[in-house]
Amino acid sequence: MAAVSSGKQSSVPAPADLIRVIFASGNAQLNRDLVERAAQTHSNHPLIVVAEFEPAHGEWVAWHPFRGYEENLASLRAAIGDRKIASAAMALCPGVPLAPMRRAARAITGGTLMAYDEKLRIVRGLGRVEYTARRILEAAASARAKKWLRRVAHPKEAEIPLRARAAQLYGLVASRTRGMRADEPTMAGLDAKNDGVTVVIPSRNGRELLATLLPHLLPQIASLESAQDGPSPRDLERSDFRSLAPRSERPLRSGEILVSDNGSSDGTAEWLAATYPTVRAITNERPLSFATAVNAGIRAARFKHTLLLNNDMIVAPGFVDALLKPFATIPDLFCATAQIFFPPGIRREETGKAVWRQENPLDFPVRCDDPLPGEDLTWVLYGSGGCSLFDTQKLRALGGVSEIYDPAYVEDLDFGYRAWRHGWSSVFCASAQVEHRHRATTSRYYTRAELDVFVEINYLRFLANAVSSDDLFRRLWRAAIRRLQLNGSLETLRRIPGIGPRPVEITGTLSEEEILALGGGDIAIFPGTAGNRPVVVIASPYVPFPLSHGGAVRIFNLMKHAAADYDQVLVAFTGELETPPAELLAICAEVILVRRHGSHYRRETSLPDVVEEFASLSFRATLKQTMRRWHAGVVQLEFTQMAQYADACAPAKTILVEHDITFDLQRQLVNTSTESGAAQLELRKQLDKWTAFETAAWKSVDCVVTMSGKDEQTVAGARRVACIPNGVDTVRFNPTHDDPDPRRLLFVGSFAHLPNLLALEFFLRDVWPLLEPAYTLHVIAGARHDYFLDFYRGRVRVDLAQPRIELEGFVADVRAAYQRAALVLAPLTASAGTNIKVLEAMAMGRVVVSTTAGINGLDLKPGVDVVVTDSAGEMAERIEALAGDPAARKSLERNARETALRYDWREIAGRQSALYPTLSDGLTAELSLPADSPA
């Protein structure tokens, strides 16, 4: 967005021009009141408002709080230019962090500046002393002051903030003095080489719960056996298992169930021996913590996989098999965790899809999200210790379940996080389903308040014992203590656990920040159709379906034709997580969506704003983990801004697809802009950033793909450049025999792309008034066109509320629009790459009227294939002539169709598919499969 927006274009002001300036440095209400008062004041001097957000009145100069003072000041000076400040005002408001704006106000306004307080009273000269004194008196009478006075009178009420301050200080000191733990604990000398599953069920006086659980679980464990004497799995399914189970004396060969009888007094062990003799009980005479009870079972496990299962779970059919499947296809898998449901009528408190997300300072940082329809095998920070399958040896390498978490809770977060630090992943398995009778055991022995305290204390233990990064630990510790203070958790603040040595350095490929980002709830994975073919990853800033813009058209069509030869994994940003369209799942082995959080804030960095908008730790972590899961030979980075992720794609070869040469487009926008001041300064700044970023990006990838030979010649310093032009589906876009309306014009172009709006502005301003009133202009503006009209209104003013103009947003099938219109417009004034809409119109046998920029990069013959002119007057004349000359139109239509056939997607897709093996010698089905996957 331009730094300055105004309601109308204005010429560069003369030096004598006088202006009024308001610095909106107060809270939202005070800023609105101050601007409103200024707008109602009778004055001939234009009003300028310096603010974070666009005001209701005046010319807006954007203040970017995340950019440096000097940069904001430079933009402000550029916006004012040679104009003189007649009067200036700023807002004073306690607690508003806009001191740099107020500093800038004083720097440029001289003696014209006036300050206003929250009640719009002037604060000036000696009045500042009065203002300060008034603020002190108001603070003394505030609710906060009264609260502290009450705490003085009642010391116990002061204990919470005092203990919180002490805990914050303790965490700060400990983080700077703690050494490094020598080693991770292990269960030395234990091995589990046998294929199969050991189920470990901790149980304290849970005989009734086991009686409900085991009949659902035992058939699934029995079905893991090799064919032997005794009842078959089919017999077990057809019979009353309660009567069959006790007669089976054979030990399970590919599975076993261990009940860690945790100090029970209800005869659990005796009941198991009599009723379910194949279930082994490990008895503990006294009640132990959850972790200690589970570890007894982990030590005794005989099989490669250990299923930790609470006794208050009811497993659905196929539960065990569903948890086993991911271990066959996902390398270094530590845990597959189940989807959790609750009994009917009870609110679902957990789902199994655990995410690290704190949207409110009062919230616990871990929560459960509902999975989306079709979502499966999404990475999670940890698997629930009550219904998850683990790699036994990896679990033992961590020392089992840490026993510092007494009596229960948070231990699963601990071992899941520590596993990620080793590079061992956890995934959510949607098809493995359980019903949870929540806290059926712990609630017998502890109150809800006591359980909440256990959770909070154990979370602090987790931070102290699992987080290695000192900076990350300090940030999370501060947030945790602040949350306890805000929630009034005095009992927890009284029992702050000790902070010992930090764990050993991370050994996996993800940093701790990336681990948390990967489990932050912004990622969802959807399996498609894999065919044991070479794997290519497509990384895109947009989901390429529906086909709402030219970039999506290209990506989808090339993926559609490559699907026969390659397993394609799509990793794409999205505004909101939702199930991908079936059209994408049909051509992908997997679709991974990453939610992008938008913001109006612009940071001061060396990168262009668009690159910063797509900078995401979640996306970077996703790419790294995708490489490990799929071992792709090639990663294709769509659009220039995605080049920032080239280093996250190792060891795959990387292709950067330059849909346009972005700095070339930015340069055209600078050269054709009529803006001045801060807006022009911002355009030039972005041009410099794009030039530096893009030219460096070419050197960071293994191959750059361009849309045209012209763009190919522009790329310098790249290891390799290939031209794979845009195309068109000539089967779908096919001429019809219906005659179009000769005076119906069509403009197709998403308003999300600024050059499309600039093109429409040129046509409506300079060409449309020259045409006879009989013409109709049909505009297809793409998704969210109203938003982009508003977003770019500081750059472009397009009046679409005119007679004879038909406006539509996104249209799924534009062929009917092409059929009705005799002429298709492409009046671009700035362009890079190539225009897919031109090719679609030509394939439909329609005459394209274009500027030179509109057919940029396409090998077309003006006057033969298309009509080309950069003159508004000549464009109007050619439109009038073609409308009245059907024979001339027919000739151009035939030539357009013939030329479009040279750009068929099938031929172009062949070029792309042929490029992949030349980059990666290992791009074969055998080498590109996920580790341990079946041939």
Side-chain angles (χ1 to χ4, degrees), residues 124-277:
R124 192 172 185 181
L126 292 176
R128 293 182 185 276
V129 177
E130 178 188 348
Y131 173 77
T132 304
R134 187 166 65 243
R135 290 302 307 159
I136 294 173
L137 292 174
E138 290 173 354
S142 68
R144 184 178 180 86
K146 292 176 181 177
K147 182 189 296 184
W148 275 103
L149 288 173
R150 186 171 60 251
R151 287 171 176 171
V152 171
H154 303 86
K156 285 188 177 180
E157 294 191 22
E159 187 177 354
I160 290 178
L162 292 176
R163 285 190 176 275
R165 300 293 189 277
Q168 294 279 21
L169 181 61
Y170 171 57
L172 177 63
V173 173
S175 69
R176 293 182 174 176
T177 58
R178 62 178 183 162
M180 182 176 292
R181 196 174 302 153
D183 198 4
E184 296 280 8
T186 61
M187 292 183 175
L190 300 177
D191 197 5
K193 295 182 179 179
N194 300 316
D195 286 331
V197 175
T198 294
V199 184
V200 176
I201 306 173
S203 184
R204 180 181 177 186
N205 291 325
R207 174 177 165 176
E208 293 180 0
L209 294 170
L210 291 171
T212 304
L213 164 64
L214 289 174
H216 297 273
L217 176 65
L218 269 160
Q220 299 189 38
I221 298 302
S223 70
L224 299 175
E225 290 187 82
S226 303
Q228 298 289 336
D229 295 337
S232 69
R234 184 181 299 273
D235 293 331
L236 297 176
E237 291 173 359
R238 291 177 176 176
S239 304
D240 178 5
F241 193 76
R242 293 174 186 268
S243 60
L244 270 176
R247 294 199 296 269
S248 176
E249 300 294 333
R250 294 176 48 80
L252 299 176
R253 291 174 177 265
S254 294
E256 61 180 347
I257 299 176
L258 306 179
V259 173
S260 187
D261 188 19
N262 196 12
S264 297
S265 58
D266 64 351
T268 294
E270 294 79 9
W271 172 76
L272 285 172
T275 312
Y276 295 104

Side-chain angles (χ1 to χ4, degrees), residues 747-822:
F747 177 91
V748 182
S750 169
F751 285 5
H753 190 47
L754 178 58
N756 288 334
L757 272 171
L758 293 171
L760 192 56
E761 180 186 49
F762 159 71
F763 182 81
L764 291 177
R765 184 188 64 227
D766 297 343
V767 182
W768 185 243
L770 303 179
L771 297 176
E772 294 180 358
Y775 287 89
T776 297
L777 174 61
H778 182 193
V779 177
I780 298 179
R784 301 174 66 208
H785 64 281
D786 287 337
Y787 168 80
F788 290 107
L789 269 175
D790 181 67
F791 184 83
Y792 287 120
R793 69 187 178 281
R795 301 284 306 279
V796 182
R797 289 289 169 173
V798 178
D799 181 12
L800 295 170
Q802 302 182 44
R804 301 177 291 114
I805 295 181
E806 300 174 3
L807 175 64
E808 286 190 277
F810 171 66
V811 176
D813 190 346
V814 296
R815 288 176 295 177
Y818 283 125
Q819 291 168 4
R820 296 172 63 197

Side-chain angles (χ1 to χ4, degrees), residues 715-730:
V715 175
R719 300 171 200 172
R720 182 174 175 182
V721 185
C723 176
I724 301 178
N726 277 322
V728 62
D729 185 341
T730 58

